[in-house]
Amino acid sequence: MRNKISVFFLFLLLVSSHAWSQQPQLEKVRIASGGHIVHFMPLDLAVAKGFFADEGLDPEIIQLKGGTATAQALLPGQVDFSLNSIDHAFKAAAQGKDNLRMVALLNRLPGMVLVVDSRLRNKVKSIADLKGMALGVTSKGSATHMVLASLLSKSGVNPADVNIVDAGSATFPPALDNRQIAGGIALEPFASILVEQGKAFVLADLNTLKDTERFLGGTYNQAGVVTRQDVIDRQPGLVKKVVNVHLRALKWIQEHTPQEIAEALPREVVGTDKVRYVKTLEKLREFYSTDGVINPQGVENVYHSMMASGALAANSPPIELEKFYNNHFVTRAQPDPLKKKQTAR
């Protein structure tokens, strides 16, 4: 009897071992992200919904602080993908490292709000009225600084004619209260909170396509999936899989309500105030790309913001903008942008 039991268990062990050996091995991929913020939410959603496993991928998400850190991890090969604005590819190129490529777009709008002290409501009627005032951004040279400079420039104000003050989410409200700044660029949910508290009013809401087109002249390519040209050359199949994951996440976002999106995400992404998170997503319905296609106008607007803010020096060599993005993996119906010539001066 004992021999029969032993043989039976040995048989089960052999069957289970065979079944395990037949399981497809997931391909590991390392991706750098700038944290659990709304700009990178499609990645968080893709992880939560298991979209990577569906593509045969085992993701290792490296959470770093800010876009500069993620781009710096991508350049030397510490990771093979990062979530970044295309401005980091331009900055790297200005330093002689021109191998970064955006392969899918996540955010088609800046996702920022230009707010002004409520006490200045009768004085400030347009962006041009901000000339000579102190304005807050998260930090000089940051994405918020670049967008503010572009808003000023396109409204006829020399960005040098305002005083730029570092004011992050924690320091912006007291700086506004103490009149150290007249306003500036705020992100959600902090922009909405300031308005709800009656401390500020909105001058330009760049969470909406209407205001982005009105003030910037078109879309603005904020965060996207970025890789290196050598990865595209060596592992095009991997690039396609990573792009597919994010396209699926973007599609899921379009097909579900903010409440459903929040329910699908872990607490480390949503935070402790789920109601506020849902309200933020409601304001960002137009923020996320619907198809992942990188728009030439959106790229040009990023480049303009860099020049206006000084993120790229005025005497920098011309940059062939289309060299730094590739729509091939998003849609084969689009002409390959690498074959075109578009030089910005």
Side-chain angles (χ1 to χ4, degrees), residues 4 16 18 31 51 55 76 84 115 124 127 129 145-146 172 176-177 181 184 206 222 242 245 263 268 276 332 340:
K4 289 183 178 180
S16 62
H18 177 72
I31 303 174
F51 294 161
E55 288 286 339
N84 276 110
V115 296
V124 177
I127 293 176
D129 295 330
H145 181 198
M146 291 191 297
F172 195 111
L176 197 66
D177 287 341
I181 57 174
L206 303 183
Q222 192 62 21
V242 172
V245 166
E263 294 292 342
E268 65 180 349
R276 175 59 67 179
R332 296 181 187 277
K340 299 178 182 178

Side-chain angles (χ1 to χ4, degrees), residues 228-289:
R228 299 186 307 278
Q229 184 61 50
D230 65 279
V231 178
I232 294 175
D233 294 338
R234 288 186 294 104
Q235 297 177 284
L238 175 62
V239 178
K240 180 59 177 172
K241 289 179 180 180
V242 172
V243 168
N244 286 347
V245 166
H246 288 85
L247 293 182
R248 188 172 173 188
L250 291 172
K251 186 173 186 292
W252 204 93
I253 290 169
Q254 295 300 317
E255 295 175 345
H256 292 78
T257 67
Q259 183 68 43
E260 290 170 332
I261 296 169
E263 294 292 342
L265 294 167
R267 183 173 179 177
E268 65 180 349
V269 176
V270 175
T272 57
D273 190 346
K274 184 177 287 188
V275 173
R276 175 59 67 179
Y277 191 83
V278 171
K279 286 183 178 180
T280 298
L281 292 183
E282 288 172 349
K283 289 183 174 293
L284 297 174
R285 292 305 286 178
E286 296 182 320
F287 175 58
Y288 299 103
S289 171

Side-chain angles (χ1 to χ4, degrees), residues 8 15 26 69 104 272 338:
F8 176 71
V15 170
L26 298 179
T272 57
L338 298 180

Side-chain angles (χ1 to χ4, degrees), residues 149-223:
S150 189
L151 286 171
L152 293 167
S153 175
K154 287 179 179 289
S155 296
V157 179
N158 187 332
D161 289 337
V162 302
N163 180 25
I164 299 297
V165 178
D166 289 352
S169 57
T171 55
F172 195 111
L176 197 66
D177 287 341
N178 298 328
R179 296 182 184 271
Q180 294 172 314
I181 57 174
I185 297 291
L187 305 178
E188 292 294 351
F190 306 106
S192 291
I193 293 173
L194 289 170
V195 173
E196 290 169 8
Q197 293 175 341
K199 294 182 177 181
F201 66 94
V202 175
L203 199 57
D205 186 354
L206 303 183
N207 293 313
T208 69
L209 185 59
K210 179 181 177 181
D211 269 14
T212 303
E213 290 179 336
R214 174 187 173 190
F215 293 109
L216 295 181
T219 60
Y220 188 98
N221 287 7
Q222 192 62 21

Side-chain angles (χ1 to χ4, degrees), residues 8-67:
F8 176 71
F9 278 110
L10 179 60
F11 173 75
L12 289 179
L13 180 62
L14 289 173
V15 170
S16 62
S17 297
H18 177 72
W20 176 260
S21 67
Q22 297 303 307
Q23 293 291 325
Q25 295 296 309
L26 298 179
E27 184 178 6
K28 291 190 176 295
V29 58
R30 289 166 60 88
I31 303 174
S33 173
H36 299 302
I37 61 176
V38 292
H39 297 72
F40 311 139
M41 186 269 284
L43 172 62
D44 291 320
L45 180 66
V47 172
K49 297 295 293 181
F51 294 161
F52 279 96
D54 292 343
E55 288 286 339
L57 299 176
D58 177 16
E60 180 182 356
I61 311 301
I62 314 298
Q63 298 291 354
L64 300 172
K65 188 175 182 180

Side-chain angles (χ1 to χ4, degrees), residues 82-118:
S82 68
L83 301 190
N84 276 110
S85 168
I86 201 168
D87 70 278
H88 291 282
F90 298 158
K91 289 176 182 177
Q95 299 171 2
K97 302 172 183 178
D98 64 348
N99 63 334
L100 296 188
R101 306 287 184 266
M102 180 178 281
V103 290
L105 182 67
L106 300 182
N107 315 147
R108 61 175 179 162
L109 305 176
M112 305 173 190
V113 185
L114 175 58
V115 296
V116 177
D117 190 331
S118 291

